C-alpha cells in the first residue's frame, strides 16, 4: 500500500506516518516525488488496514499497490527516475552511451579503447575486472589489478567507470573503484549480492537474466531498492529462445513494457544479445527507437585478439558509426 501525503505535508508528518506503519509491524519507505511524497508500506503479507493512517495529519489518501514489486513500480512513483552521476544523467530522455571491452586485459588495452570510445561520444567506460565466465578455463579477469587500471582510465579520460561485481565478497572492492556497479545476467538471481547492492552508495546496473521474465527482473531490482539504494538502472541484454541466428534474442518489447510499469531507467546491451558485431548497430538503432535510455556496447581495438567476446566487439570506427547513426534518430 502507498500512503500519499498532501502536497504541503511536512517532514514531521511523513515521519509520523512511518512510525505508525512500524507500530503495525511493517516498514514505511518514503518516496519523495516531484508532485508529492508517498510512503510505501513493505513487509505486509496481506492487505493493510488503512483506517488509522487516513486520520493522520498530512495524509491525502491511500492507494493499494497491485503489483508484487512496490518501490520499482510506477504506481509508487509516477515520474521517471533520473540518475545523475557527475555530468551524466541517465533516464532524462537523451541516450547515454557506455562502451568498452568485455574485460580489462591490460593498461594499454584499456586506455587505447577508452580514448577511442570517448572521442566517439561515450560517457561511461565499461570493462570487467571480475568476469563470470561460462567456462572455468576462460580468462577470469584481472581482479583488483583490473580495477586499478579502470581507476587510471577515469583519471586520464574523465569517463565514468562501470564494472561488474560477481559476488557479495568482491562488491566490497568493486564499489571503491566503480562509478556504477554492474550485476550481470547470471547474477540477477543472486539474492545475497542483490541485498549487498542495496547497501552500496553507488548506482547499480542490473542486467536481465537470459531466462527471466520482466516481473522477475523487477523483483530483483526491488531487492536492491528495498535495501535503501534507489539508484538502479535496468538492462535488457537478450534472452534465450529457440532462435539460433544470434547468441540470445534481444527482447526489444521489454523496453516499452518496463517503462509502462516501472519508473527506473533501462539500457540495452546489443552486444551480448547479438553475439556478433555485424548486428550490433542495427539492434542499437532499434533499442533507441523503442525508448531505451542508453546502450552498453562492447568495443575492442583488436577484436580478433580479445581475451573474451571478440566476435561481438565493435571496432572503434564501427562505434563511431553507431554513435552517428543513433544521433540521427534525433533523440539528442
Ligand atoms: C558483460 O557485460 O560482459 C557480461 C558478462 O554480460 P551478461 O551478464 O549480460 O552476460
Ligand atoms: Mn562480454
Amino acid at each position: 500500500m502507498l500512503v500519499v501525503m498532501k502536497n504541503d505535508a511536512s517532514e514531521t508528518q511523513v515521519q509520523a506516518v512511518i512510525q505508525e506503519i512500524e507500530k503495525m509491524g511493517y516498514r514505511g519507505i518514503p518516496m519523495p516525488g516531484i508532485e508529492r511524497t508517498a510512503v510505501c508500506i513493505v513487509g505486509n503479507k496481506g492487505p493493510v488496514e488503512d483506517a488509522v493512517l487516513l486520520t493522520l495529519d498530512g495524509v491525502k489518501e491511500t492507494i493499494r499497490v497491485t503489483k508484487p514489486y512496490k518501490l520499482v513500480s510506477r504506481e509508487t512513483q509516477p515520474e521517471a527516475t533520473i540518475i545523475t552521476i557527475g555530468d551524466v544523467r541517465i533516464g532524462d530522455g537523451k541516450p547515454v552511451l557506455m562502451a568498452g571491452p568485455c574485460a580489462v586485459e591490460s593498461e594499454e588495452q584499456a586506455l587505447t579503447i577508452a580514448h577511442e570510445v570517448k572521442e566517439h561520444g561515450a560517457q561511461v567506460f565499461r570493462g570487467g575486472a571480475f568476469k563470470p565466465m561460462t567456462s572455468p578455463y576462460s580468462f577470469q579477469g584481472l581482479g583488483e589489478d583490473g580495477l586499478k587500471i579502470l581507476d587510471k582510465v577515469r583519471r586520464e579520460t574523465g569517463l565514468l567507470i562501470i564494472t561488474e561485481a560477481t559476488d557479495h565478497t568482491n562488491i566490497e572492492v568493486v564499489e571503491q573503484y566503480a562509478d556504477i556497479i554492474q550485476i550481470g545476467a547470471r547474477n540477477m538471481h543472486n539474492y545475497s549480492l542483490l541485498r549487498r547492492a542495496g547497501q552500496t552508495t553507488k548506482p547499480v546496473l542490473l542486467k536481465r537474466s537470459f531466462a527471466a521474465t520482466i516481473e522477475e527482473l523487477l523483483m530483483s531490482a526491488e531487492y536492491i531498492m528495498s535495501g535503501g539504494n534507489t539508484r538502479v538502472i535496468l538492462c535488457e541484454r537478450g534472452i534465450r529462445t529457440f532462435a539460433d541466428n544470434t547468441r540470445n534474442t534481444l527482447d526489444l518489447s521489454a523496453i516499452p513494457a518496463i517503462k509502462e510499469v516501472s519508473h527506473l531507467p533501462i539500457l540495452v546491451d546489443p552486444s551480448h544479445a547479438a553475439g556478433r558485431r555485424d548486428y550490433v548497430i542495427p539492434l542499437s538503432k532499434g533499442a533507441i527507437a523503442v525508448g531505451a535510455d542508453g546502450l552498453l556496447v562492447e568495443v575492442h581495438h583488436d577484436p580478433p585478439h580479445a581475451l573474451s567476446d571478440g566476435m561481438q566487439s565493435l571496432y572503434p570506427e564501427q562505434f563511431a558509426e553507431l554513435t552517428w547513426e543513433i544521433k540521427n534518430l534525433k533523440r539528442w
Side-chain angles (χ1 to χ4, degrees), residues 85-327:
I85 317 160
D87 308 336
V88 176
R89 284 165 64 79
I90 304 167
D92 78 347
K94 181 176 156 183
V96 171
L97 294 177
M98 306 188 183
C102 181
V104 177
E105 299 167 9
S106 68
E107 185 176 311
E108 192 194 351
Q109 172 249 21
L111 282 169
T112 305
I113 301 168
H115 284 295
E116 290 277 7
V117 298
K118 180 172 178 164
E119 188 187 329
H120 300 309
Q123 293 130 295
V124 183
F125 183 72
R126 65 146 291 152
F130 294 97
K131 293 302 302 175
M133 303 305 275
T134 306
S135 164
Y137 309 117
S138 303
F139 175 58
Q140 306 284 310
L142 296 178
E144 189 166 0
D145 288 343
L147 296 175
K148 288 183 179 149
I149 293 172
L150 290 170
D151 198 37
K152 184 151 190 197
V153 166
R154 175 183 23 236
R155 279 185 275 116
E156 274 210 13
T157 63
L159 289 167
L160 296 176
I161 301 296
I162 179 168
T163 192
E164 181 166 354
T166 51
D167 60 44
H168 66 280
T169 54
N170 63 32
I171 189 172
E172 301 267 338
V173 62
V174 169
E175 71 186 341
Q176 291 167 35
Y177 292 92
D179 296 298
I180 305 171
I181 300 170
Q182 178 173 325
I183 295 186
R186 288 158 193 78
N187 272 315
M188 194 205 90
H189 298 290
N190 181 341
Y191 301 114
S192 54
L193 178 59
L194 298 176
R195 280 198 194 284
R196 178 61 185 73
Q199 264 137 43
T200 178
T201 54
K202 298 287 169 72
V204 173
L205 178 134
L206 175 66
K207 288 186 151 192
R208 179 183 182 185
S209 156
F210 32 75
T213 63
I214 286 169
E215 187 167 300
E216 286 164 340
L217 170 64
L218 293 173
M219 290 308 288
S220 290
E222 186 83 11
Y223 262 90
I224 303 172
M225 283 195 75
S226 67
N229 188 354
T230 53
R231 299 201 294 165
V232 180
I233 305 152
L234 304 172
C235 182
E236 160 63 37
R237 47 77 76 206
I239 52 173
R240 199 159 273 183
T241 68
F242 56 83
D244 59 3
N245 54 319
T246 50
R247 182 174 172 184
N248 292 283
T249 298
L250 182 60
D251 180 10
L252 282 184
S253 73
I255 312 322
I258 286 172
K259 294 242 167 241
E260 186 183 344
V261 296
S262 175
H263 54 85
L264 295 176
I266 173 148
L267 264 57
V268 165
D269 171 349
S271 308
H272 290 86
R276 41 188 288 183
R277 78 176 64 84
D278 54 342
Y279 288 179
V280 170
I281 294 178
L283 292 181
S284 298
K285 288 163 70 178
I288 298 303
V290 297
D293 294 297
L295 300 169
L296 180 69
V297 186
E298 286 185 339
V299 179
H300 200 287
H301 65 304
D302 183 11
H305 295 107
L307 295 183
S308 58
D309 287 346
M311 292 268 284
Q312 66 199 31
S313 298
L314 296 181
Y315 284 88
E317 53 274 23
Q318 290 179 302
F319 180 66
E321 188 186 332
L322 182 155
T323 310
W324 188 87
E325 288 276 4
I326 62 170
K327 282 193 174 165

